[in-house]
Each structure stands twice: as structure tokens, then as C-alpha cells.
Amino acid sequence: MTTAAPGQQTGAAPRSGLSPAPPHILVVFGASGDLATRKLLPALAGLASQGALPENFNVVGVARTTWTDDEFRKVALESAPEASSSWTKLASRFRYVAGEYSDAGTFTRLAGVLADCDDQLGTGGNRVYYLATVPDAFATVADGLAASGLNRPSSASSTARLVVEKPYGHDLDSALELDSALKRSFEEKDLFRIDHYMGKETVQNVLALRFANAVFEPVWNRRYVDAVQVTVAESLGVEHRGGFYEHAGALRDIIQNHMMQVLALTLMEPPATVDALGIRDEKVKLLRAIEVPSVDAAAGSVVRGQYTAGTIDSSPVPGYRQEDGVDPLSSTETYVAMRLAVDNWRWAGVPVYVRTGKRLPERLTEVVLRFHRVPHLAFGGRLARELQPNCLVLRIQPDDGITLHFGAKIPGEAFRVRTVKMEFSYAEAFQDPRADAYERLLHDAMVGDATLFVRADEVDQAWRIVDPFLDAFEDDAVPLATYPAGTWGPREAELLMSGREFGWGVP
Ligand code: BG6
């Protein structure tokens, strides 16, 4: 029995401009885990309340935890307590399959549940499989789907896609291995590697800023830009993920993926078309142009740090080595700052500084373009020395917006100039709440738009850049500096800019 025509939507009109996805079953592997309950289920609840899910939709959770359908439904409701009535209605039909991923029986039971849902809800055989498990299980799940034939669309008009969470490998070799394992079961066009930073509206706005405005692009190059800085700062520590973080560290957790994606969008050439091919071709070209240093050179252009006990928002917090699940002698980095070079016509000679850290004073993600000074300052003397060069700041979070720092005359008789700010704030300009990154990406996966997902060659290239730095850390060629929680990282990070007239951020 079909309860509604395919494509018919439920609930209110889309708030964020997302049109209803086609009929689908979303299968979440790792459904009892942290990612599912903290991010995926709330994002689905958000989509439901925007009317961006079709009526012909269901979620099937799969995990080792021995829940029943009802227990999973309860968790779904609890994970989005503020959700709309459309979510409550939807969650009441969610299904759950308990089982080991290495057991063929799990996939046989899953196939039965999927067939049931197709019959009852008219989901048309369309599947998005979401790998929210521990990374060790990725290949096993893909193999299990293939062995039961679930990796192939059930008809010429249906689709079967696999969404893969990070970490995508732990270095280049393991990423290549994972890729060939997944490609035993899915083709590249059906593999959707997720980087939730690409789902953030303000990350996408980098494209609009650069390529929809005549004023910025002409100065977006080495002739005008003196240096580029990207910061991804978090005030949170490792929370309850100490065990995971011990094997990741800031380089793998943030730089290899989120940071490289933000850098690629900021520095790439204009794409001919804003679609999956156009954007991803340009991103990978940029990543290929980032110099891959030798291990020695990498060691000389990176700072690694680890937080010690300190204070965040006036409350004392423990050091990294005292966190649950962390080795008391751990040398895992919670902070990285590094200098990169882009060897292409546009950026030759422009240093690119990136830094990320946990337990920094605030949550802040921003890109700063620092422009050259004007060639001659007619005002002379102290003023010439005090006036800062122009800076353009793209603030990704929080308070997303754009700020241009430039010089203006101070009112009065004397000709004095100081730096002032021109601000654009998203919240002020657009009243509509913006879709959360996971909402946008889940929706795109169902629609089949891969533009904001990461292609295999991008992942490989990002590992190629990061691997020498990882090797330098493993060889202990980079001392582990410490910083008290609640400070901006080790002092050594400032030394990366020695010889330049600026430090981190905007003066
Ligand atoms: C995740 C990392 O990918 O991104 C986390 O694993 C980090 O360690 C998180 O906290 C940051 O995401 P956001 O959206 O809060 O900036």
C-alpha cells in the first residue's frame, strides 16, 4: 500500500529553500552511536520540519546494540526534543536492525526491512546508506551490502548511494586502501564522502563572494595579497572522544579535511560551472598546487601543541593528558599551526598560514586575506607606520559575516588616518534561519548532488600534503609545545611569522 504519491512532501514549506527530496530510505549504519544521535537524527528532524523530506521516506537504523524498533524511535525523538509534529509522525515508523556487520544475516534482515518499507511507503527502491560507524567497519559494511545485492539499485530508475564519514583513512596509503575496498561495491559516482564544513552556508559563500562580485576577484592574487591565514579555533576540549582523538590529533581531525576544503575554495581558480565537476576539478587543482614538503622542511614549518589545565569561560578545565581515554603521557597534538606554499601563478610567494586548536579562548573559524601596503604613503611619519594594511576577513563561525578593514580619515584638522571596519553580517542581512550543514548534506545525498562532497582525488591530495607533517610528528622532529587551556596556543606559533610585520589575526 502506498500512503502518498512519490515526491509528495510532508509538513510546512521549506524554510531554507530546500525542495523535497525524492522518495528514499536512509539506512544509518552505526545508528546507536554518537554521530547518529547528535547530528544525523537532529538534522533529519530539521529537514522534516522544513518540509524538505518526502512523505515516502523512512529511516532504518543498523547497529550492534540490541535495540527494538521502538527503542530506536524513542532515541530519534529524544535526539530532537524540540522537533515538529512531522518528525514525531515520521519517527513513529522508523525501523531498526540489530546485528554484526560481518554477519550476512544482518544484511538479509536489512533487505527484508527495506523491501517492507518499499511496499508500505512507496520509497521506490532509492537508498542512501550512511556509514556512521567506526572507520574500521566501513569496508565490512560495503562488502556486506554488495554480498546481499543491496549496493545495486533495484531498478533502472532507482539509486543506491553510500555516504562515508571522516576519517577517510589515517594517511595516504590507508585512504587509497579504503577507496579500493569501497570501490569493490560502489562506483565513484555513488560514493559521497562527507566533510560537514562544505555544508556550512558561509563556506559556500566564499564562492559567492569571489565569483559573483566584480570587486573582489581582481585583487585575489599575489599582486595584492600579502598573506593568507585560516583559523579553526575551538573552545571545547576532546569531550568524551578522548579515545578517538588519541589516534587522530588536530592534523588528521581538522587540517587534512575541513581546513583543506576551506583553503581550496578560498584559493582555487574560478570554475566554469558551479556543479560537482566544475567545483571539484578546481579544488583538486589547487590542492595539487600546494607544495608537498620533505619531512625535514615540514618539521621546520609547523608547530604542534597540547593543552594543559587552564580556564575556559571562567571555569577550570583539565589538561589533555587528564581527559578520559587519554594516555597520561600522550604526545597527541591538540593544536597545529603551519605555513604552506601554493606553487601556482596566482599565489606564488604568498605564505598561507593555518592553525587549529582545541581549548582555545573562543570558537572561531575565519579566513583573513592581508593585502600589501600601498606603495607610497603621502601622509608620512608616525601615521605611515601606524596605519595597518587592508584586511578582508571571512568569518565562517560564529557571527558569520565579512569584514573589510581599511583606513579612514579621523575627523578634525590634522590629516590623520586610522583603520576602520566595514561589516556584513549574515544574521542581519538574512532573517531566515540557515540550514544546518548536516541537513544540507543529507538532502544533497538524496537528491544526488555531489557538489559539496569530496572526491577521491581531493582526499588523496590532502593526505599527500599532510603526510610529511605526520611523519615529522611521528619521528619526534617537532617538539611538543604546551599551552594552558583558554589561551591562543603555544608562543612558538608566532615564530612561524618571524621576519614578517604581522602576527595571527587582524591587528
Ligand atoms: C569534527 C571534528 O570533524 O569537527 C571535531 O572531529 C570538531 O573534533 C568538529 O570539534 C568541529 O566542527 P564544527 O562544525 O563545530 O566547527
Side-chain angles (χ1 to χ4, degrees):
M1 186 191 77
T2 307
T3 54
Q8 185 180 330
Q9 79 184 75
T10 173
R15 146 186 106 195
S16 52
L18 297 178
S19 50
H24 253 94
I25 304 179
L26 176 70
V27 181
V28 180
F29 290 93
S32 59
D34 196 55
L35 179 70
T37 50
R38 270 193 322 112
K39 298 285 185 192
L40 304 183
L41 292 167
L44 287 168
L47 287 174
S49 60
Q50 293 163 53
L53 293 177
E55 181 65 36
N56 325 68
F57 176 79
N58 210 2
V59 174
V60 179
V62 186
R64 277 171 286 204
T65 312
T66 54
W67 283 344
T68 60
D69 286 344
D70 278 342
E71 281 168 312
F72 180 49
R73 290 167 187 163
K74 187 160 166 275
V75 169
L77 291 175
E78 284 168 0
S79 68
E82 316 268 284
S84 60
S85 56
S86 33
W87 176 245
T88 316
K89 186 171 152 229
L90 203 59
S92 69
R93 63 185 189 220
F94 286 1
R95 303 289 301 271
Y96 185 81
V97 176
E100 294 293 329
Y101 303 128
S102 53
D103 175 7
T106 306
F107 293 88
T108 312
R109 289 197 299 285
L110 173 62
V113 169
L114 293 176
D116 259 14
C117 294
D118 279 342
D119 282 354
Q120 290 168 11
L121 299 168
T123 34
N126 296 324
R127 323 271 187 247
V128 165
Y129 301 108
Y130 198 115
L131 295 182
T133 61
V134 290
D136 286 352
F138 288 174
T140 315
V141 172
D143 286 345
L145 287 168
S148 53
L150 292 173
N151 60 329
R152 300 265 163 248
S154 54
S155 71
S157 59
S158 58
T159 53
R161 305 189 177 109
L162 187 71
V163 178
V164 191
E165 260 296 334
K166 65 179 268 271
Y168 205 83
H170 52 87
D171 57 12
L172 177 62
D173 289 346
S174 56
L176 291 171
E177 217 173 279
L178 173 61
D179 217 52
S180 49
L182 297 182
K183 283 184 179 149
R184 288 196 293 262
S185 318
F186 289 86
E187 292 173 42
E188 176 66 28
K189 72 174 179 42
D190 295 318
L191 277 172
F192 284 60
R193 298 172 197 81
I194 209 163
D195 183 312
H196 79 278
Y197 267 54
M198 288 296 291
K200 291 182 192 272
E201 282 286 341
T202 34
V203 171
Q204 295 158 42
N205 192 45
V206 173
L207 296 177
L209 175 83
R210 291 189 56 196
F211 305 129
N213 297 297
V215 69
F216 296 115
E217 192 53 22
V219 298
W220 215 267
N221 56 55
R222 63 187 303 272
R223 290 184 62 191
Y224 295 92
V225 177
D226 184 29
V228 177
Q229 292 184 358
V230 186
T231 297
V232 177
E234 294 183 88
S235 56
L236 289 179
V238 290
E239 308 294 290
H240 47 280
R241 298 194 311 152
F244 156 80
Y245 200 84
E246 272 289 86
H247 301 288
L251 204 44
R252 291 189 175 97
D253 192 40
I254 300 281
I255 302 232
Q256 188 272 343
N257 37 74
H258 307 327
M259 191 73 100
M260 289 297 160
Q261 290 295 315
V262 172
L263 262 187
L265 289 180
T266 308
L267 304 180
M268 71 187 199
E269 295 299 309
T273 48
V274 175
D275 57 21
L277 192 64
I279 297 281
R280 300 193 300 179
D281 278 355
E282 292 308 334
K283 278 196 294 168
V284 80
K285 267 163 60 187
L286 186 279
L287 293 172
R288 262 192 236 126
I290 295 182
E291 194 178 284
V292 178
S294 65
V295 176
D296 281 352
S301 53
V302 68
V303 172
R304 67 167 167 163
Q306 190 186 69
Y307 62 83
T308 53
T311 308
I312 299 268
D313 289 338
S314 319
S315 305
V317 295
Y320 177 69
R321 291 180 178 184
Q322 287 82 54
E323 302 273 16
D324 280 350
V326 171
D327 180 346
L329 297 175
S330 171
S331 57
T332 298
E333 80 285 356
T334 60
Y335 177 98
V336 174
M338 59 210 266
R339 191 177 50 239
L340 298 169
V342 184
D343 288 338
N344 67 10
W345 191 279
R346 187 184 284 264
W347 297 112
V350 180
V352 177
Y353 300 95
V354 302
R355 64 174 170 169
T356 184
K358 292 211 180 271
R359 287 290 190 219
L360 300 185
E362 55 183 292
R363 177 174 189 243
L364 174 77
T365 298
E366 67 176 22
V367 178
V368 179
L369 266 69
R370 189 187 159 97
F371 291 89
H372 291 299
R373 287 186 178 277
V374 289
H376 169 66
L377 252 191
F379 316 109
R382 191 166 62 87
L383 171 70
R385 289 193 301 277
E386 275 175 8
L387 187 62
Q388 294 298 330
N390 299 149
C391 282
L392 184 68
V393 181
L394 318 183
R395 229 174 14 265
I396 289 166
Q397 62 190 21
D399 309 330
D400 21 346
I402 296 168
T403 308
L404 179 64
H405 297 246
F406 63 102
K409 180 180 174 300
I410 302 173
E413 213 178 306
F415 208 102
R416 297 189 53 215
V417 181
R418 77 169 163 83
T419 300
V420 294
K421 295 194 259 184
M422 199 149 73
E423 294 259 12
F424 156 72
S425 150
Y426 255 93
E428 275 172 31
F430 304 103
Q431 306 299 323
D432 286 352
R434 293 178 291 289
D436 154 87
Y438 274 95
E439 288 176 13
R440 171 67 198 264
L441 294 171
L442 280 169
H443 187 269
D444 281 3
M446 288 189 268
V447 172
D449 183 351
T451 310
L452 301 178
F453 292 82
V454 184
R455 213 166 55 188
D457 50 357
E458 293 178 67
V459 176
D460 299 349
Q461 202 51 45
W463 279 122
R464 252 182 212 110
I465 298 161
V466 160
D467 269 0
F469 293 92
L470 283 172
D471 290 344
F473 288 3
E474 264 149 42
D475 295 353
D476 262 332
V478 183
L480 181 68
T482 56
Y483 60 101
T487 65
W488 278 104
R491 280 184 299 120
E492 288 81 343
E494 294 292 335
L495 302 179
L496 280 180
M497 288 165 206
S498 60
R500 313 286 310 202
E501 56 161 354
F502 53 84
W504 288 99
V506 180

